[in-house]
Amino acid sequence: MSAYRGLVQLGLGLWTTLRQIGRGASTVSYPEEALKLPPRWRGRPVLTRDPDGDERCVACQLCSAVCPTRCIELQAGEREDERRYPVSFRINFSRCIYCGFCEEACPTLAIQLLDAFAFSTEHHRDLIYEKEALLIDGTGKHPHYNFYRHAGVALHGKDKGQGSNESPPVNGRSNLP
Amino acid sequence: MTLFLMALGMLLTTVVLLGLAGFLVFAERRVLGLLQNRHGPNRLGPFGIGQALADALKLMSKENFVPAFADPVLYRAAPVLVAFSALASFAVVPLDRGFSWAGDWNIGLLFILAMSSLNAYGVFLGGWASGSKFALLGAVRAVAQLVSYELPLGLALLAVVLLSGSLSLNGIVQAQWMPYIVLQPLGFVIFLIAGVAETHRLPFDLPEAESELVAGFNTEYGGMRFGYFFLGEYLGLTLIAVLAAALYLGGWHGPWLPGWIWMLIKTFAVIFIFFWLRASLPRPRYDQLMALGWKILLPLSLLNLLCTAFAAALWRLG
Ligand code: SF4
Ligand code: SF4
């Protein structure tokens, strides 16, 4: 009886592999065939711009602080209209582990892990990307978000409470009983 | 002059056979890919066939290395023995009617069995001379396995000899007025299983079980010496397939096509079965392997032989 069962199992196993002949390979021959990347794919971090074309990063250093491999380094500066921006921004991609923590920490949705992932160089030093290489001319995954429209921060030419979905600040003294 | 021509012919046969073995290594990987939803080597040349050449070149360009702890003479001799015994067996295999080196030799089948025993020596000596525990374990396994599966193999072949009344492969093929697989279905199955074990191919690859013994008896081998073992394995596989085609599937008999094409078709069909088994079945435990050999295949092959002998005797009387 058990011998009979064993033979049936053997036959089933053989049939299972034979059936695969017509099914083609599930391998994707990558460089020739394009990959289908999932929407939340974590590729190389880039710096995005807001819908108005200004850079989003406000040089708050949060990404640099949260990065487990300490591969982000930046210097803060301030523009004439009082917007903060990174004077230099540097990511060492020979250390980055594509964990996405920087993206989660960023308050302005500036740093984002988009779909670029295939890059190789001969030397480690070529993997240190400067700001010019990191900054892209697009909004990335969040096409409509502009930090300064929501943040309630006063800027040159825009006072507190003048952004979208914002109401003007209340007068603290008038609320007194 | 005749001698020179013969030597040339033999050289040609050897080259063709070695090329075939190299091609089989590649073909196996492609077939496995086909059966396992992947590609296999497909980069070099059409269908990736250049891979066979690249592998051969790689093996040939490696250093011929003898480990310090190995027995230098036997270590060198073993791979040659394996490849030689597999190659020599092909001398008695006919490709077509009257197209073979010694197909009419009246002890052809016996010669093949003798050569396969010699093959076992090669494997064992290789493992033993390596002076490493993995190689030794593989070699011990190989000897036990080859000895225990040679019995059912020989007994299954004996039934064929009984039917055909000849030990030469030409004689056996000529005697097949219908393929012997019809008269000897059990014998064919036993032959095939024992043949897989005899060439220590998966699922019976315990002598070289990668997951337990690194690479078994050829652990310490590299370069072309490893290549000889490899060629020996694939030549052995071809030999079993060609024997199955000649002894059970009717050899060169077949309608329309020329004989040698039939022979090749049948051989490659059996080789495909070998690849298919490899793609599908897991490796048994060692005691299961031995139990299968001694407790199932041996009694079955004895039974098969007895029944065949009985039927043959009745045939004679009637
Ligand atoms: S993905 Fe992770 S490792 Fe890479 S820069 Fe961002 S936080 Fe650092
Ligand atoms: S967390 Fe965002 S805004 Fe802050 S420094 Fe990093 S990229 Fe710039």
Side-chain angles (χ1 to χ4, degrees):
Chain A
M1 197 59 210
S2 79
Y4 170 74
R5 281 246 309 279
L7 280 180
V8 169
Q9 300 295 335
L10 268 186
L12 282 179
L14 287 171
W15 169 235
T16 307
T17 40
L18 194 66
R19 227 172 22 183
Q20 308 305 321
I21 286 187
R23 298 209 175 157
S26 31
T27 318
V28 181
S29 312
Y30 158 59
E32 289 112 48
E33 267 174 71
L35 289 181
K36 281 203 204 77
L37 297 180
R40 294 181 62 179
W41 172 266
R42 299 202 307 265
R44 173 167 77 75
V46 295
L47 291 174
T48 58
R49 293 174 184 272
D50 62 26
D52 304 331
D54 271 335
E55 48 186 291
R56 275 172 169 161
C57 177
V58 294
C60 67
Q61 310 270 5
L62 282 175
C63 53
S64 172
V66 80
C67 177
T69 61
R70 296 277 169 90
C71 63
I72 305 182
E73 182 189 87
L74 65 133
Q75 280 176 344
E78 201 168 293
R79 284 194 335 206
E80 274 178 8
D81 59 353
E82 298 170 344
R83 269 178 82 140
R84 282 165 60 86
Y85 76 104
V87 180
S88 74
F89 201 105
R90 184 178 293 153
I91 301 185
N92 183 348
F93 283 119
S94 64
R95 285 165 67 179
C96 176
I97 56 174
Y98 309 96
C99 63
F101 282 5
C102 48
E103 177 173 355
E104 283 184 39
C106 181
T108 64
L109 307 182
I111 193 164
Q112 290 178 18
L113 277 71
L114 294 188
D115 51 6
F117 66 95
F119 55 123
S120 63
T121 59
E122 198 170 336
H123 302 289
H124 275 292
R125 63 162 183 270
D126 298 338
L127 283 169
I128 300 174
Y129 277 41
E130 297 293 339
K131 184 176 164 187
E132 304 81 64
L134 290 170
L135 193 64
I136 63 168
D137 284 341
T139 52
K141 302 173 197 169
H142 306 279
H144 306 304
Y145 184 74
N146 186 338
F147 171 72
Y148 282 107
R149 297 245 183 90
H150 301 271
V153 183
L155 270 186
H156 190 75
K158 163 188 172 276
D159 212 354
K160 274 189 182 174
Q162 286 181 354
S164 47
N165 347 330
E166 270 186 79
S167 34
V170 287
N171 181 355
R173 291 175 191 280
S174 72
N175 281 348
L176 285 177
Chain B
M1 192 59 199
T2 347
L3 260 180
F4 173 73
L5 277 185
M6 267 178 81
L8 200 69
M10 281 180 186
L11 187 71
L12 208 67
T13 318
T14 312
V15 169
V16 167
L17 281 172
L18 291 183
L20 181 72
F23 169 74
L24 279 181
V25 178
F26 156 78
E28 165 160 48
R29 292 171 63 187
R30 288 296 297 211
V31 169
L32 284 184
L34 206 60
L35 293 169
Q36 295 175 341
N37 285 351
R38 52 194 180 80
H39 287 311
N42 63 352
R43 294 282 128 177
L44 195 57
F47 301 105
I49 197 163
Q51 186 66 38
L53 201 66
D55 283 345
L57 281 180
K58 185 198 85 176
L59 282 178
M60 279 188 246
S61 60
K62 296 262 165 164
E63 183 188 355
N64 257 336
F65 176 76
V66 181
F69 43 79
D71 182 320
V73 179
L74 291 180
Y75 180 88
R76 289 192 176 91
V80 181
L81 196 58
V82 167
F84 163 77
S85 61
L87 269 177
S89 312
F90 280 96
V92 297
V93 174
L95 188 58
D96 198 348
R97 201 185 312 273
F99 187 81
S100 70
W101 286 106
D104 284 324
W105 200 10
N106 56 5
I107 54 161
L109 212 49
L110 210 58
F111 176 72
I112 287 183
L113 285 178
M115 278 298 148
S116 94
S117 300
L118 210 57
N119 195 355
Y121 270 104
V123 169
F124 176 70
L125 287 179
W128 181 76
S130 294
S132 123
K133 51 183 174 294
F134 294 118
L136 186 64
L137 277 174
V140 170
R141 282 183 177 191
V143 169
Q145 174 174 331
L146 295 187
V147 166
S148 30
Y149 278 83
E150 204 137 290
L151 276 173
L153 188 82
L155 287 175
L157 290 183
L158 209 53
V160 171
V161 174
L162 257 177
L163 284 180
S164 64
S166 165
L167 267 173
S168 79
L169 267 77
N170 269 350
I172 294 176
V173 178
Q174 257 146 24
Q176 287 182 53
W177 46 277
M178 67 151 69
Y180 279 164
I181 186 172
V182 184
L183 305 176
Q184 290 278 324
L186 185 61
F188 178 68
V189 172
I190 293 172
F191 174 79
L192 216 56
I193 296 179
V196 175
E198 195 68 11
T199 49
H200 37 87
R201 297 269 316 162
L202 278 106
F204 296 140
D205 70 330
L206 282 110
E208 43 196 300
E210 279 96 351
S211 41
E212 322 158 23
L213 293 184
V214 191
F217 63 89
N218 57 31
T219 303
E220 301 296 336
Y221 280 90
M224 210 43 217
R225 295 219 175 86
F226 168 75
Y228 281 140
F229 274 128
F230 217 58
L231 286 177
E233 179 180 331
Y234 279 83
L235 285 174
L237 157 82
T238 318
L239 183 70
I240 296 290
V242 105
L243 276 185
L247 301 184
Y248 290 97
L249 303 179
W252 60 71
H253 295 302
W256 307 306
L257 297 171
W260 59 276
I261 292 194
W262 272 113
M263 193 72 185
L264 285 184
I265 289 178
K266 290 167 182 173
T267 307
F268 279 114
V270 179
I271 289 179
F272 176 78
I273 295 181
F274 273 75
F275 294 168
W276 182 21
L277 287 176
R278 169 167 183 184
S280 319
L281 300 182
R283 185 186 303 132
R285 238 173 28 227
Y286 199 70
D287 60 315
Q288 291 170 334
L289 178 87
M290 284 292 141
L292 177 69
W294 289 103
K295 294 190 191 155
I296 298 179
L297 285 191
L298 185 61
L300 274 184
S301 57
L302 276 174
L303 187 75
N304 184 44
L305 183 62
L306 278 179
C307 292
T308 314
F310 192 63
L314 280 186
W315 186 276
R316 277 276 171 81
L317 289 180

